[in-house]
Structure formats: C-alpha cells, structure tokens
Amino acid sequence: MKKIIAVSDSHGNIAGLKSIEPLFEKADYIFHTGDYFRDIRAFCPKYENKIYAVMGNCDGGGEEYVFEAEGMKILLVHGDRYHVKSGLKRLMAHAEELGVKAVFFGHTHRAEIIICNGITYINPGAMSRFGQKSYCAATIGNGEISAEIVKI
C-alpha cells in the first residue's frame, strides 16, 4: 500500500503546507490540485519525485493529468473546467470516459469524498489562508483506494 497526501487551493499559504510537511516525508505521492499550485513547488527540492500538481483557474489553469499508480488509473484536475461548483455531473462523465478509478479535484474549497459508479471522487478542500483548512490522506494498492479528509 502506498500513501497519498492531497491538497488543493493553497492560495499562497505556504505556512499551512509547511505545517503538514512531516506528512510529505512519509507519503509516496503528494498531489496539489491547483490554485497556487506553485506553492507546492517550494517543496520540490526535497520531494521532487513525489509531487504531482496541476494548474487551477488562478494559475492560468485548465490542466489535467491522468496516470497510473499501484494498478489504479487516477485523474488529477482542478475542476473549474467541469463547473464543479454547480455539481459533479460533468466531471463524472469525463472520469467515466477516461476509465479512471479515482479523481482528485479542487476549486470548491469544500472537502468531500464521493463514490459513484465505482469511481472515488476526492476534493481535499482548501489549504488557503481563509476558512477551514483540510487535506486528504489516502492509501492505494491492488487497484483500491481508501481516503479520509483531515481538518486542521
């Protein structure tokens, strides 16, 4: 089993990311799903081979990244292009089209884990300077995923 730490929407809160840096050390994968994705780059020298990040709408965005890890196809996306603030219908259709097993997204600043049609959708919430801060701690292996939202 491999460990994932996923964050989103840090909006310049590098101090918030530093507060969970001990988790980065233990993680096999570190995801940032956009909006100030460059914040996670501050950790690149130390964790370069673990970091997967996409641009969000505040970054000039529209990026998405599909890859396979531990026998699982994963989509990393910010979510603005799929209008996730109005619901997940478009994102779900896209995920099914791609044949992924898990989707990590952001944009709404609302932490949630939803399982629909065999696909796990994870929004780690926001690590921004404003409001409730949260991240996702997940494990993957044998084509399965287990995830929880942690509020800080």
Side-chain angles (χ1 to χ4, degrees), residues 4-152:
I4 298 169
I5 296 297
V7 296
S8 188
D9 296 276
S10 52
H11 293 280
N13 186 14
I14 293 174
L17 294 174
K18 282 185 180 179
S19 75
I20 64 168
E21 185 175 5
L23 300 173
F24 295 166
E25 292 176 14
K26 296 175 185 174
D28 297 291
Y29 302 94
I30 302 165
F31 297 164
H32 192 298
T33 62
D35 276 1
Y36 286 62
F37 83 111
R38 64 188 167 274
D39 294 343
I40 202 72
R41 300 288 183 217
F43 300 89
C44 272
K46 201 169 183 182
Y47 308 111
E48 186 172 13
N49 296 330
K50 298 181 181 186
I51 295 174
Y52 297 82
V54 293
M55 294 191 298
N57 57 295
C58 291
D59 305 311
E63 274 190 331
E64 60 183 61
Y65 183 53
V66 178
F67 64 103
E68 191 162 319
E70 305 307 310
M72 177 178 292
K73 195 172 179 184
I74 298 172
L75 169 63
L76 207 61
V77 64
H78 187 59
D80 57 308
R81 283 180 35 199
Y82 300 100
H83 308 284
V84 295
K85 286 185 178 180
S86 299
L88 299 183
K89 187 176 178 179
R90 290 180 186 102
L91 181 60
M92 288 177 168
H94 183 59
E96 287 180 19
E97 225 173 62
L98 293 173
V100 299
K101 180 84 172 168
V103 177
F104 287 82
F105 70 102
H107 190 56
T108 67
H109 293 211
R110 193 173 54 246
E112 60 186 338
I113 300 171
I114 296 169
I115 300 170
C116 183
N117 294 331
I119 302 171
T120 303
Y121 298 85
I122 300 169
N123 184 332
M127 285 295 292
S128 71
R129 296 173 296 227
F130 314 103
Q132 178 70 59
K133 292 164 192 50
S134 61
Y135 65 90
C136 173
T139 56
I140 57 172
N142 300 319
E144 298 294 323
I145 186 164
S146 171
E148 70 174 311
I149 300 297
V150 180
K151 296 183 181 200
I152 55 174

